[in-house]
Amino acid sequence: MFETRVIKVDPFNPSNEVIAEAAEVLRRGGLVAFPTETVYGLGALAYLRESVLRIFRVKKRPLDNPLIVHISRLSALSLVTRDVPEEALIIAEKLWPGPVTLVLWKSDSIPSEVTAGLPKVAVRMPAHRVALMLIDSVDAPVAAPSANLSGRPSPTSADHVIKDLYGSIELIIDAGETLHGVESTIIDLTVKPPLLLRPGALSVEELERVLGVEIAIPPFARGLVEASKALAPGMKHRHYAPRADMVLVESRSYDDLTKIVSVVRDIALKSLHKGVSVSILCSDETYNYYTDLGVVVKSLGSRSNLFQIAKNLFKTMRELDEAGVSFIIAEGFEERGLGLTIMNRLRKASGYNIITADQ
Ligand code: AMP
Ligand code: MG
């Protein structure tokens, strides 16, 4: 066991002393969990190979799953990458700091441990005062995946980090709940057209608007199939997942929710008969159709507010784990805007256990 310090800070005006202390931990090779606008990250100095390897160990993360490198100013982009295309500069200028990660050719300064041996590196500038001040303070890029145990839902609060990593890292900076609650959007800009590797907090539509070109969306980015290791490393197997088994009920259209409700109810009743401890993950629009079942029902929010649904997703999965349910029946969402991100996470969390309500 390890002594983990947890320090609370004001997300908008963190104390300089706390930032200085965290920076010192990183400089000495330690690991610091810190807030970003997406989820909490587990940071190490990107130049310190041993510290980077420790991230993999404490998260139980497979070594072939590369880390995102975080920077706090644009000038650092040329330190970590090379042959930066025009599109990257457009995104960096218009959307950074923000929840979009660019995959670019890596420079020699980034150790191969960070990129899992790949010639490309994922980079982003997070839009969070604490993260930016910390990176600025160490004056070096910070490699940071999400601060959860590998495979678990990403941490959207310091409590989640404490649950997963307390006793195995030096410091957790607690700045309350994160804004988006889902990870960044990742696009590969070394190929044309740009390729979506992971949908995230920034919608593909918004990225396309800024870039003025279409972004290719492969089936693995929709969460329909597992990614090939070469294209999207580390995106295989059940991911973002609660402990409970999960089934996802999808439909071609979500204009009329009656079919979805009827399939979800059907599965719930059958599972109840088998004595399974069932829960339903639904929306405000359907919540009342399940309350008579006597199972745990959680709404992620209204379908008209996908930002809220995305924000509540991981948090609610962790709540269901805490409630001790063993089976989750989740409703699908329309794959538009953030709906693409939500469906990617739900499909992976279910381990691709998907039922369509259309027959
Ligand atoms: P996490 O920060 O835990 O959400 O994980 C970062 C994700 O970024 C990984 O799962 C990878 O799939 C992706 N990623 C990081 N670096 C690269 C890279 N060089 N090429 C492709 N994908 C990457
Ligand atoms: Mg992660």
Side-chain angles (χ1 to χ4, degrees), residues 54-195:
R54 226 184 106 206
I55 289 183
F56 288 89
R57 278 202 301 278
V58 303
K59 274 180 62 81
K60 301 192 169 65
R61 183 177 177 104
L63 283 164
D64 64 359
N65 189 357
L67 311 179
I68 294 175
V69 172
H70 293 73
I71 57 176
S72 59
R73 40 184 92 202
L74 203 48
S75 56
L77 188 60
S78 55
L79 292 178
V80 299
T81 64
R82 60 179 173 80
D83 304 331
V84 176
E86 179 65 23
E87 291 91 341
L89 297 176
I90 295 173
I91 289 181
E93 193 170 304
K94 299 209 169 142
L95 298 173
W96 279 358
V100 52
T101 297
L102 304 179
V103 169
L104 300 165
W105 295 109
K106 116 180 177 40
S107 76
D108 291 338
S109 70
I110 295 298
S112 57
E113 286 79 359
V114 172
T115 63
L118 293 169
K120 300 178 191 181
V121 61
V123 197
R124 93 171 183 106
M125 192 189 294
H128 197 293
R129 278 286 283 165
V130 172
L132 290 174
M133 282 173 71
L134 180 60
I135 302 163
D136 241 14
S137 182
V138 290
D139 198 22
V142 171
S146 49
N148 53 314
L149 286 173
S150 187
R152 300 270 302 136
S154 293
T156 64
S157 72
D159 284 347
H160 300 161
V161 183
I162 291 170
K163 287 248 156 58
D164 281 15
L165 298 175
Y166 193 88
S168 58
I169 62 177
E170 280 82 354
L171 180 63
I172 298 171
I173 306 179
D174 178 355
E177 270 196 14
T178 61
L179 174 65
H180 293 285
V182 279
E183 302 88 343
S184 62
T185 304
I186 307 180
I187 50 168
D188 186 342
L189 288 181
T190 67
V191 292
K192 281 201 166 81
L195 182 69

